[in-house]
């Protein structure tokens, strides 16, 4: 079953679509430039799937945008570094999240170095 479309993803998708159109590119051309299928670009533009954190810098560079303009509005109040971490965290499965939280806790407690 497809996930529900979230307003934040639609907002980011609109920014992405407008930037693509300003450059005069098709979804297929953008997809080829960053190594994904053009259909995925369309899905991101419609908010059908959240734009992965790893793709934001690529698209921002391609379109000459500030990477923060491709952050969901609920992440814009944090630094770009924090937003990248939050975006990556949201893409992880439950076990990956638990591991990352354990590692972060150990770093904060001084049990492991950066």
């Amino acid at each position: 079953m497809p996930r529900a479309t979230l307003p934040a993803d639609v907002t980011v998708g609109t920014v992405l679509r407008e930037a693509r159109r300003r450059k005069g590119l098709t979804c297929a051309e953008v997809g080829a430039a960053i190594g994904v299928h053009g259909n995925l670009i369309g899905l991101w533009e419609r908010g059908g799937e959240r734009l992965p954190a790893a793709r934001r810098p690529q698209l921002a560079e391609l379109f000459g945008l500030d990477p923060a303009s491709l952050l969901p509005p609920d992440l814009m109040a944090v630094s770009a570094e924090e937003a990248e971490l939050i975006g990556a965290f949201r893409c992880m499965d439950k076990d990956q999240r638990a591991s990352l939280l354990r590692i972060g806790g150990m770093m904060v407690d001084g049990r492991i170095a950066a």
Side-chain angles (χ1 to χ4, degrees):
M1 173 159 71
R3 76 168 184 83
T5 300
L6 302 173
D9 295 332
V10 172
T11 300
V12 171
T14 300
V15 171
L16 183 59
R17 182 177 49 253
E18 290 172 359
R20 177 183 58 78
R21 288 179 176 167
R22 274 194 305 275
K23 288 283 189 179
L25 299 171
T26 65
C27 288
E29 291 168 329
V30 172
I34 67 165
V36 300
H37 196 281
N39 289 347
L40 188 54
I41 302 298
L43 191 61
W44 292 336
E45 287 183 356
R46 291 186 304 277
E49 191 170 303
R50 178 157 282 188
L51 177 62
R55 297 294 182 185
R56 288 187 196 111
Q58 293 175 301
L59 290 164
E61 183 177 334
L62 179 66
F63 297 130
L65 298 173
D66 175 352
S69 68
L70 296 174
L71 291 172
D74 57 333
L75 296 183
M76 293 183 113
V78 297
S79 73
E81 202 171 49
E82 291 168 322
E84 184 176 354
L85 182 59
I86 292 167
F89 186 84
R90 288 180 176 173
C91 293
M92 293 177 184
D93 65 32
K94 182 177 133 186
D95 293 334
Q96 291 170 319
R97 287 178 175 190
S99 294
L100 180 61
L101 291 171
R102 275 194 306 277
I103 292 167
M106 288 188 284
M107 289 175 82
V108 169
D109 294 344
R111 290 182 277 163
I112 59 173

